[in-house]
Amino acid sequence: MKRIGMLTSGGDCQALNATMRGVAKGLYNYYHDEVEIIGFEDGYKGLIYADYRLMKPGDFSGILTRGGTILGTSRQPFKLMRQPDENGLDKVEAMKQTYRKLKLDCLVVLGGNGSQKTANLLREEGLNIVSLPKTIDNDLWGTDMTFGFQSAVNIATNAIDCIHTTAASHGRVFIVEIMGHKVGWLTLYAGIAGGADIILLPEIPYDIDKVVGALKARQKEGKRFSIIAVAEGAISKENAKLSKKELKEKKKTGLVYPSVAYEIGAQITERTGQEVRVTVPGHMQRGGEPCPYDRTLASRLGAYAAGMIERGEYGFMVAVKNNDLTKVPLEEVAGRLKTVDPQCSMIAEAKTMGICFGDE
Ligand code: F6P
């Protein structure tokens, strides 16, 4: 009898269920009734505190299109993993104990950056791990694509589309703030797909004068409105020069805005007198059903993971490379971010179309 543990960790996203379904279908196909899947509740928390349930094949039926995660999820910061909990429990030892007590052959982890680091830690501790690349941010090193990303691009694009019509009616400047944590993938894709005039990414620190210059140039051309897609992690040229500590200090003394989009909005109004509205779609971007692309990707990734388990290939994350699936060692993935290269052709093409990135 094969015994496989499974958990979903960190912020949720679309296609978590579709991915688990892919893994389960693959495993049941390989092992029939000679496999048991144990689902841990709320991510690593379930593994630490032995909160789990034996999954039935029926649990994986009808979930291809369902958003969220049937197992629940939680954020268990990697940096706290080696620290005992409030009752003095050694979390790493507890996770190992649960794994051993349940006589697991492998643990399948669906997670983003922090979760991959913990997956690697468990691998170092001797557990058999297969992980899957989850996040709307698409910032996992080693894979061209993560599941959840394309669904989030659809939602963020739809938000920009909706803003377009109202911005055009009123002749306003609109800022749409898009998720993505420290990277700009989601903003870049949704910004281009939504026809944003200005796109501001964390990887290209912006100069507010350039942003204002681009807005004025549009006005001069007779354009009544402008749309700015701002990544939640966007940063000004001045702030990018500061250390983390200096930035923290600066934020304490200056005016405090709810987020970077509001700060940029205020600066534009101050410099141009133009009305600016800010829209933050926020967690909507992680919600709802996965788009067809993600359903397909998730199913493929899940089935590939089942194949790895069958072949005994442990210690890897399933990844997309040149439209094909492959596996990357967890120690290579852990702790590395995949950021947008400011010199990449996608940025060059966007600039060719006249999109301003706040740098020139
Ligand atoms: O990593 C996914 C993500 O949605 C990021 O884009 C965002 O910065 C973060 O999670 C929000 O986290 P939380 O759900 O904890 O507010």
Side-chain angles (χ1 to χ4, degrees), residues 11-12 75 134-137 139 179-182 186 232 283 286:
D12 76 337
R75 290 196 186 279
K134 168 238 72 168
T135 169
I136 63 163
D137 304 336
D139 60 351
M179 272 188 170
H181 202 218
K182 292 178 180 159
L186 194 49
E232 64 177 347
H283 288 75
R286 290 198 333 222

Short mmCIF file of all heavy atoms in Angstrom, two decimals, residues 11-12 75 134-137 139 179-182 186 232 283 286, ligand 1:
data_model
loop_
_atom_site.label_atom_id
_atom_site.label_comp_id
_atom_site.label_asym_id
_atom_site.label_seq_id
_atom_site.Cartn_x
_atom_site.Cartn_y
_atom_site.Cartn_z
N GLY A 11 -0.68 31.54 0.50
CA GLY A 11 -1.87 32.18 -0.06
C GLY A 11 -2.51 31.25 -1.08
O GLY A 11 -1.80 30.58 -1.82
N ASP A 12 -3.84 31.21 -1.11
CA ASP A 12 -4.47 30.30 -2.07
C ASP A 12 -4.39 30.89 -3.48
O ASP A 12 -3.88 32.00 -3.68
CB ASP A 12 -5.93 30.01 -1.68
CG ASP A 12 -6.85 31.16 -2.01
OD1 ASP A 12 -6.37 32.32 -2.12
OD2 ASP A 12 -8.06 30.94 -2.15
N ARG A 75 -0.66 30.49 6.18
CA ARG A 75 0.74 30.93 6.03
C ARG A 75 1.50 30.51 7.28
O ARG A 75 1.17 30.91 8.39
CB ARG A 75 0.82 32.44 5.86
CG ARG A 75 0.27 32.92 4.52
CD ARG A 75 0.73 34.34 4.23
NE ARG A 75 0.11 34.89 3.03
CZ ARG A 75 0.54 34.63 1.79
NH1 ARG A 75 1.58 33.85 1.59
NH2 ARG A 75 -0.07 35.19 0.77
N LYS A 134 2.77 26.73 -7.18
CA LYS A 134 1.52 27.48 -7.02
C LYS A 134 1.77 28.95 -6.74
O LYS A 134 2.57 29.25 -5.87
CB LYS A 134 0.76 26.88 -5.82
CG LYS A 134 -0.41 27.71 -5.35
CD LYS A 134 -0.31 28.14 -3.89
CE LYS A 134 0.73 29.21 -3.62
NZ LYS A 134 0.63 29.83 -2.29
N THR A 135 1.19 29.85 -7.49
CA THR A 135 1.12 31.26 -7.09
C THR A 135 0.61 32.13 -8.25
O THR A 135 0.97 31.90 -9.41
CB THR A 135 2.46 31.86 -6.61
OG1 THR A 135 2.33 33.29 -6.50
CG2 THR A 135 3.63 31.60 -7.55
N ILE A 136 -0.20 33.12 -7.89
CA ILE A 136 -0.64 34.08 -8.91
C ILE A 136 0.52 35.02 -9.29
O ILE A 136 0.42 35.74 -10.27
CB ILE A 136 -1.85 34.94 -8.43
CG1 ILE A 136 -1.47 35.81 -7.22
CG2 ILE A 136 -3.05 34.08 -8.15
CD1 ILE A 136 -2.45 36.95 -6.96
N ASP A 137 1.60 35.01 -8.49
CA ASP A 137 2.70 35.95 -8.73
C ASP A 137 3.64 35.49 -9.85
O ASP A 137 4.40 36.31 -10.38
CB ASP A 137 3.51 36.16 -7.45
CG ASP A 137 2.65 36.63 -6.30
OD1 ASP A 137 1.59 37.22 -6.54
OD2 ASP A 137 3.04 36.40 -5.13
N ASP A 139 6.34 33.95 -9.61
CA ASP A 139 7.71 34.35 -9.25
C ASP A 139 8.58 33.19 -8.77
O ASP A 139 9.62 33.41 -8.16
CB ASP A 139 7.66 35.44 -8.16
CG ASP A 139 6.97 34.97 -6.90
OD1 ASP A 139 6.37 33.88 -6.91
OD2 ASP A 139 7.00 35.70 -5.89
N MET A 179 -1.76 42.87 -7.77
CA MET A 179 -0.95 42.05 -6.85
C MET A 179 0.32 41.53 -7.54
O MET A 179 0.53 41.78 -8.72
CB MET A 179 -1.78 40.87 -6.34
CG MET A 179 -2.58 41.17 -5.09
SD MET A 179 -3.33 39.65 -4.47
CE MET A 179 -3.94 40.24 -2.89
N GLY A 180 1.10 40.77 -6.80
CA GLY A 180 2.33 40.22 -7.39
C GLY A 180 3.47 40.19 -6.40
O GLY A 180 4.58 39.81 -6.74
N HIS A 181 3.18 40.64 -5.17
CA HIS A 181 4.18 40.68 -4.10
C HIS A 181 5.38 41.50 -4.57
O HIS A 181 5.19 42.65 -4.94
CB HIS A 181 4.55 39.26 -3.69
CG HIS A 181 5.14 39.20 -2.31
ND1 HIS A 181 6.17 38.36 -1.99
CD2 HIS A 181 4.85 39.89 -1.20
CE1 HIS A 181 6.50 38.53 -0.72
NE2 HIS A 181 5.71 39.47 -0.22
N LYS A 182 6.59 40.91 -4.64
CA LYS A 182 7.76 41.73 -4.96
C LYS A 182 8.08 41.75 -6.45
O LYS A 182 9.10 42.31 -6.85
CB LYS A 182 8.97 41.18 -4.20
CG LYS A 182 8.86 41.37 -2.71
CD LYS A 182 10.05 40.79 -2.00
CE LYS A 182 9.91 40.98 -0.50
NZ LYS A 182 10.72 40.05 0.25
N LEU A 186 2.44 39.81 -12.98
CA LEU A 186 0.99 39.96 -13.12
C LEU A 186 0.63 41.33 -13.69
O LEU A 186 -0.23 41.45 -14.58
CB LEU A 186 0.35 39.74 -11.73
CG LEU A 186 -1.14 39.53 -11.63
CD1 LEU A 186 -1.62 38.48 -12.59
CD2 LEU A 186 -1.50 39.12 -10.19
N GLU A 232 1.77 46.17 -6.86
CA GLU A 232 1.74 46.51 -5.44
C GLU A 232 3.14 46.72 -4.87
O GLU A 232 3.32 47.41 -3.88
CB GLU A 232 0.99 45.44 -4.64
CG GLU A 232 1.65 44.07 -4.67
CD GLU A 232 0.93 43.02 -3.82
OE1 GLU A 232 0.06 43.39 -3.01
OE2 GLU A 232 1.25 41.83 -3.97
N HIS A 283 -7.65 40.81 -3.36
CA HIS A 283 -7.74 39.34 -3.31
C HIS A 283 -8.71 38.75 -4.33
O HIS A 283 -8.72 37.52 -4.51
CB HIS A 283 -8.08 38.88 -1.90
CG HIS A 283 -6.94 39.07 -0.94
ND1 HIS A 283 -6.58 40.30 -0.46
CD2 HIS A 283 -6.06 38.18 -0.42
CE1 HIS A 283 -5.53 40.17 0.33
NE2 HIS A 283 -5.20 38.89 0.37
N ARG A 286 -7.15 36.38 -6.67
CA ARG A 286 -6.85 34.99 -6.30
C ARG A 286 -8.10 34.12 -6.26
O ARG A 286 -8.01 32.93 -5.98
CB ARG A 286 -6.20 34.94 -4.92
CG ARG A 286 -4.84 35.49 -4.89
CD ARG A 286 -4.01 35.09 -3.70
NE ARG A 286 -4.65 34.75 -2.47
CZ ARG A 286 -4.19 35.15 -1.27
NH1 ARG A 286 -3.14 35.93 -1.20
NH2 ARG A 286 -4.76 34.75 -0.18
O1 F6P B 1 1.52 35.50 -3.13
C1 F6P B 1 0.22 35.74 -3.50
C2 F6P B 1 -0.28 37.05 -2.97
O2 F6P B 1 -1.61 37.22 -3.38
C3 F6P B 1 0.57 38.25 -3.36
O3 F6P B 1 0.32 38.68 -4.66
C4 F6P B 1 0.18 39.22 -2.29
O4 F6P B 1 1.22 40.17 -2.06
C5 F6P B 1 -0.01 38.36 -1.08
O5 F6P B 1 -0.25 37.05 -1.56
C6 F6P B 1 -1.13 38.76 -0.17
O6 F6P B 1 -1.08 37.95 0.96
P1 F6P B 1 -2.25 37.78 2.03
O7 F6P B 1 -3.28 36.88 1.42
O8 F6P B 1 -1.58 37.16 3.18
O9 F6P B 1 -2.82 39.13 2.28
#
